[in-house]
C-alpha cells in the first residue's frame, strides 16, 4: 500500500486526534495518521510519499544564499525539510519517502523568489515519482490525502493520480495482469483555530476514484505531400525545387500512412476490448518494421539547402 500527500507548510500543525475507520490516532497531519493506522491494521507493507514543494525552502531558511542553495539541490532541500519535521513532530516511522516537486508563483521573505513553472510540470513530476514507487514496490492500493497543501498542488496531485490509473489499466491490458489498482482519496475537514480551542476529533473520509482508460486517436484518413504545402506555403515551394528532398518527403508520407494504418487498427483492438486481434496478422498486419520507423524518424532531420 502507498499513501501520498503534499506538505503544505513547516509550522502550524498541531497534534490532532483523527478518526480513521472508527479508530482514533493522534498525529500532526493526516498522512502520519493514515500511515500509523494502516501499519497497525494492514497485512501488506505500507509506504508513504511526502511531496515537498520547493517553495518551502523559504520557510526553512531566512538567508537568500541558503534558500538558493536548497532550491537548486532537491537532495539538500529534502534532507533539510525531513530533518525539521521529524524533529518537530517526533516522527519515528520509517518508510516515508520525501520528494521535491516544482512550485509556481511569487514568494517573499525580505526578498522575492518567483517560481516560473506551470501546472503541467508539477503534474508530470508527481506522476513519474509516484508511478516509479508503484512499479518498484508492486503497489496495489493507493490512498491519496488531499487535506494538506496549497490548492494548485492538490489539483496537480489529483490530475497525476488520474493519469496513473489510466497508465496502470493500459499496462494491465498488455501484461495480462488481472489485479486492478485500488485508489482512494482521503480528506479531513480543515483544522481551524476554533477547532484547536475546543479540541474535538477529526474524521478522515474516503472516496474511491476511477478513470476510464478511453481516449480518441487523432488520425487523418487522407495525407499527402500537399498537406505540407497547405500548411507551410513557401516551405513546400522550396522543397519542390529539390528532387531528392521532394522524393524523400514523399517516401516519408507513404511510410507514415502505413504506420498510422497499423496504429489505428491496434488502437481499435484495445478500444473495443478485442486485444486478441493483435495476435493475428490477418486482422492487424504489422507491416512496418523497426528499421522503417527509424528511417522515418531520420527523415525528420532533413534540412533545406541554403542556396
Amino acid at each position: 500500500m502507498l499513501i501520498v500527500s503534499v506538505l503544505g507548510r513547516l509550522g502550524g500543525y498541531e497534534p490532532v486526534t483523527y478518526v480513521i475507520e472508527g479508530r482514533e490516532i493522534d498525529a500532526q497531519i493526516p498522512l502520519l495518521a493514515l500511515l500509523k493506522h494502516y501499519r497497525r491494521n494492514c497485512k501488506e507493507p505500507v509506504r508513504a510519499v511526502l511531496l515537498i514543494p520547493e517553495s518551502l525552502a523559504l520557510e526553512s531558511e531566512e538567508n537568500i544564499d541558503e534558500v538558493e542553495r536548497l532550491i537548486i539541490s532537491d537532495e539538500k532541500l529534502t534532507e533539510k525539510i525531513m530533518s525539521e519535521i521529524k524533529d518537530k513532530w517526533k516522527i519515528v516511522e520509517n518508510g516515508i519517502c520525501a520528494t521535491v516537486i516544482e512550485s509556481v508563483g511569487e514568494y517573499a521573505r525580505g526578498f522575492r523568489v518567483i517560481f516560473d513553472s506551470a501546472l503541467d510540470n508539477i503534474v508530470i513530476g508527481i506522476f513519474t515519482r509516484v508511478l516509479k514507487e508503484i512499479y518498484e514496490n508492486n503497489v496495489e492500493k493507493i490512498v491519496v490525502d488531499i487535506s494538506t497543501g496549497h490548492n494548485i498542488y492538490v489539483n496537480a496531485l489529483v490530475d497525476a493520480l488520474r493519469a496513473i490509473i489510466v497508465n496502470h489499466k493500459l499496462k494491465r491490458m498488455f501484461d495480462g495482469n488481472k489485479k486492478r489498482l485500488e485508489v482512494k482519496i482521503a480528506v479531513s475537514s480543515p483544522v481551524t483555530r476554533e477547532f484547536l480551542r475546543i479540541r474535538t476529533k477529526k474524521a478522515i473520509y474516503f472516496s474511491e476514484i476511477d478513470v476510464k482508460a478511453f481516449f480518441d486517436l487523432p488520425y487523418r484518413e487522407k495525407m499527402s505531400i500537399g498537406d505540407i504545402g497547405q500548411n507551410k506555403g513557401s516551405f513546400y515551394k522550396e522543397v519542390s525545387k529539390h528532387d531528392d528532398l521532394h522524393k524523400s518527403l514523399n517516401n516519408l508520407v507513404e511510410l507514415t500512412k502505413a504506420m498510422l494504418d497499423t496504429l489505428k487498427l491496434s488502437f481499435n483492438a484495445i478500444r473495443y476490448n478485442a486485444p486478441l486481434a493483435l495476435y493475428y496478422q490477418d486482422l492487424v498486419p504489422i507491416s512496418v518494421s523497426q528499421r522503417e520507423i527509424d528511417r522515418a524518424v531520420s527523415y525528420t532531420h532533413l534540412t533545406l539547402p541554403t542556396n
Side-chain angles (χ1 to χ4, degrees):
M1 171 177 277
L2 183 66
I3 306 168
V4 186
S5 186
V6 180
L7 182 62
R9 58 183 186 274
L10 293 182
Y13 290 116
E14 298 292 334
V16 174
T17 300
Y18 290 102
V19 180
I20 305 174
E21 298 175 342
R23 298 180 176 88
E24 297 181 3
I25 298 176
D26 294 331
Q28 277 80 4
I29 60 175
L31 172 73
L32 296 178
L34 290 165
L35 187 58
K36 291 178 181 178
H37 170 72
Y38 285 114
R39 284 196 165 166
R40 294 172 186 172
N41 301 284
C42 185
K43 294 181 180 180
E44 60 192 275
V46 181
R47 296 170 58 83
V49 172
L50 183 61
L51 305 172
I52 302 175
E54 58 185 351
S55 57
L56 288 182
L58 279 79
E59 288 195 29
S60 180
E61 290 288 349
E62 296 183 358
N63 182 277
I64 187 171
D65 293 329
E66 286 300 307
V67 169
E68 182 181 11
R69 182 179 67 87
L70 293 177
I71 290 175
I72 63 177
S73 172
D74 289 351
E75 183 179 352
K76 290 179 181 178
L77 179 56
T78 301
E79 290 178 358
K80 176 74 172 176
I81 298 297
M82 289 303 295
S83 175
E84 290 191 27
I85 64 175
K86 282 184 177 181
D87 183 59
K88 289 180 181 178
W89 300 346
K90 305 295 188 289
I91 297 176
V92 295
E93 288 85 4
N94 295 320
I96 300 179
C97 302
T99 186
V100 175
I101 59 176
E102 291 188 25
S103 289
V104 62
E106 180 178 329
Y107 296 81
R109 188 169 184 176
F111 50 87
R112 291 193 311 153
V113 177
I114 299 175
F115 295 95
D116 186 14
S117 187
L119 178 62
D120 288 347
N121 294 345
I122 303 172
V123 172
I124 287 294
I126 298 174
F127 173 83
T128 54
R129 179 61 181 88
V130 175
L131 198 66
K132 182 174 182 288
E133 191 75 23
I134 290 171
Y135 289 133
E136 284 186 352
N137 297 285
N138 297 316
V139 173
E140 296 178 4
K141 296 180 182 178
I142 304 178
V143 175
V144 175
D145 171 55
I146 59 172
S147 306
T148 58
H150 189 276
N151 288 346
I152 191 169
Y153 305 118
V154 172
N155 290 340
L157 177 55
V158 174
D159 282 352
L161 183 63
R162 292 179 181 277
I164 287 169
I165 294 172
V166 172
N167 175 281
H168 194 270
K169 284 187 175 183
L170 294 176
K171 189 173 186 297
R172 280 172 54 207
M173 287 182 177
F174 292 101
D175 292 350
N177 181 9
K178 296 182 179 180
K179 293 183 179 180
R180 63 182 291 267
L181 187 65
E182 182 181 327
V183 183
K184 292 182 179 180
I185 287 182
V187 63
S188 72
S189 51
V191 179
T192 61
R193 291 182 180 179
E194 179 63 18
F195 166 79
L196 292 174
R197 187 181 65 81
I198 60 178
R199 285 291 174 179
T200 56
K201 300 168 185 176
K202 284 287 183 184
I204 293 180
Y205 303 94
F206 297 91
S207 176
E208 283 201 35
I209 182 172
D210 196 10
V211 180
K212 291 184 178 180
F214 177 88
F215 52 93
D216 289 322
L217 181 65
Y219 176 78
R220 295 182 60 184
E221 293 292 343
K222 295 182 179 180
M223 184 177 181
S224 69
I225 193 88
D227 292 336
I228 301 176
Q230 293 171 11
N231 297 328
K232 298 296 183 180
S234 60
F235 171 78
Y236 177 62
K237 292 179 181 178
E238 187 65 27
V239 168
S240 300
K241 299 176 183 178
H242 305 279
D243 292 338
D244 291 342
L245 186 56
H246 188 266
K247 182 178 180 180
S248 296
L249 286 174
N250 268 317
N251 291 339
L252 172 61
V253 168
E254 294 303 316
L255 184 56
T256 304
K257 285 170 63 178
M259 292 166 60
L260 287 174
D261 287 341
T262 301
L263 173 61
K264 186 176 183 181
L265 289 170
S266 302
F267 171 82
N268 286 335
I270 296 172
R271 176 178 177 180
Y272 295 111
N273 200 26
L276 290 179
L278 295 171
Y279 290 92
Y280 295 90
Q281 285 287 312
D282 291 341
L283 296 176
V284 184
I286 309 299
S287 59
V288 182
S289 67
Q290 182 63 48
R291 182 179 179 182
E292 289 176 314
I293 293 174
D294 293 340
R295 189 159 56 92
V297 172
S298 71
Y299 282 154
T300 63
H301 296 287
L302 289 171
T303 57
L304 287 173
T306 56
N307 295 331

